[in-house]
Amino acid sequence: EKQLELSPEAKFVTKESLREEFDLLKNNFKFVRSQTFNKRQCTLGLGLFIVLSVIVNIVLGVCLYTYHTNQQNDATIIAGNERKISENKKMITDKVSFCAYKSSYTTKSTTVTYDKLTVETNPFSSGGLDIASGIFTSPVSVLVSVSLYFSPDSNDGTTAKTSTVNIQKNGINLEEGMIKTTMSSTDGTDDESAGKTLLLILKKTDTVSNFMTAGDHLAYITF
């Protein structure tokens, strides 16, 4: 009969020791599985963090762009307001004055023109009274006093003659700007004068002129 020879290092395995070995293997397997799951969790968490970081950066970028745009708009508005304030100060301190004279005018249904300027003050680079066209152009938005006076010389000594002149704004007759006179002396004299003064609100480039609607002759016109 053959006998087994055991080496000095050999040991007998009991059921209890075998069960302990299996339990140890199970625990090691569970640990490995848990570590794999934790790695997946870390990967997923890192991905979510990157996505959230991108979204936050986009939101911050939009906010910064909006803030910068609003600052630019505010700067533009402030510059515009400063320019308007400067223009208003100039309008208050600087005065525009014109006075034109015409000794005789006989062209009916036309804008009255003038021989010369007796007063000319305009500190602005545009606008003013053009005596050749008879048109005043406002260099700024302003409240102006407009005066027109003349002597109607339409009397022939036999019949009544009517002279009508309309103060115009932007080429349109002003109802309150009509000046109408009728002469009916029998000796041909007409030592009368007519005229009026208006206050007008003008915008920049608005015009004022005088239109001879009816009559044969106007004399000693001042505007």
Side-chain angles (χ1 to χ4, degrees), residues 5-155:
E5 293 184 0
L6 299 175
S7 63
E9 296 83 9
K11 294 182 181 179
F12 288 102
V13 178
T14 64
K15 290 182 179 181
E16 289 75 12
S17 61
L18 184 61
R19 188 178 295 109
E20 289 176 357
E21 291 293 331
F22 275 118
D23 291 339
L24 182 60
L25 287 174
K26 286 181 181 180
N27 291 333
N28 288 338
F29 180 72
K30 289 179 180 179
F31 176 75
V32 170
R33 282 205 313 173
S34 67
Q35 294 303 311
T36 303
F37 180 72
N38 289 337
K39 184 177 180 181
R40 289 176 181 174
Q41 282 183 321
C42 290
T43 304
L44 179 61
L46 182 61
L48 289 175
F49 175 76
I50 293 173
V51 171
L52 289 175
S53 297
V54 171
I55 293 173
V56 169
N57 286 329
I58 291 174
V59 172
L60 287 176
V62 171
C63 291
L64 288 174
Y65 175 77
T66 303
Y67 176 75
H68 180 67
T69 302
N70 290 338
Q71 276 195 322
Q72 286 184 324
N73 292 337
D74 291 342
T76 302
I77 293 172
I78 291 172
N81 290 337
E82 288 177 348
R83 184 172 59 254
K84 288 180 180 178
I85 291 172
S86 177
E87 291 176 353
N88 290 336
K89 284 182 178 178
K90 186 174 182 62
M91 184 176 65
I92 292 172
T93 56
D94 296 339
K95 299 184 183 203
V96 178
S97 300
F98 286 89
C99 185
Y101 174 77
K102 181 82 169 179
S103 61
S104 177
Y105 195 78
T106 58
T107 310
K108 185 171 65 174
S109 300
T110 59
T111 299
V112 179
T113 58
Y114 305 96
D115 297 327
K116 62 181 180 179
L117 287 172
T118 58
V119 175
E120 182 179 9
T121 303
N122 184 12
F124 300 94
S125 59
S126 62
L129 178 56
D130 179 14
I131 60 174
S133 65
I135 297 174
F136 169 79
T137 303
S138 180
V140 291
S141 297
V142 67
L143 173 68
V144 297
S145 174
V146 177
S147 299
L148 174 66
Y149 290 89
F150 60 90
S151 178
D153 191 11
S154 301
N155 188 7

Side-chain angles (χ1 to χ4, degrees), residues 197-208:
T197 298
L198 298 178
L199 290 177
L200 298 178
I201 298 175
L202 300 181
K203 295 180 181 178
K204 186 176 181 180
T205 71
D206 278 353
T207 62
V208 179

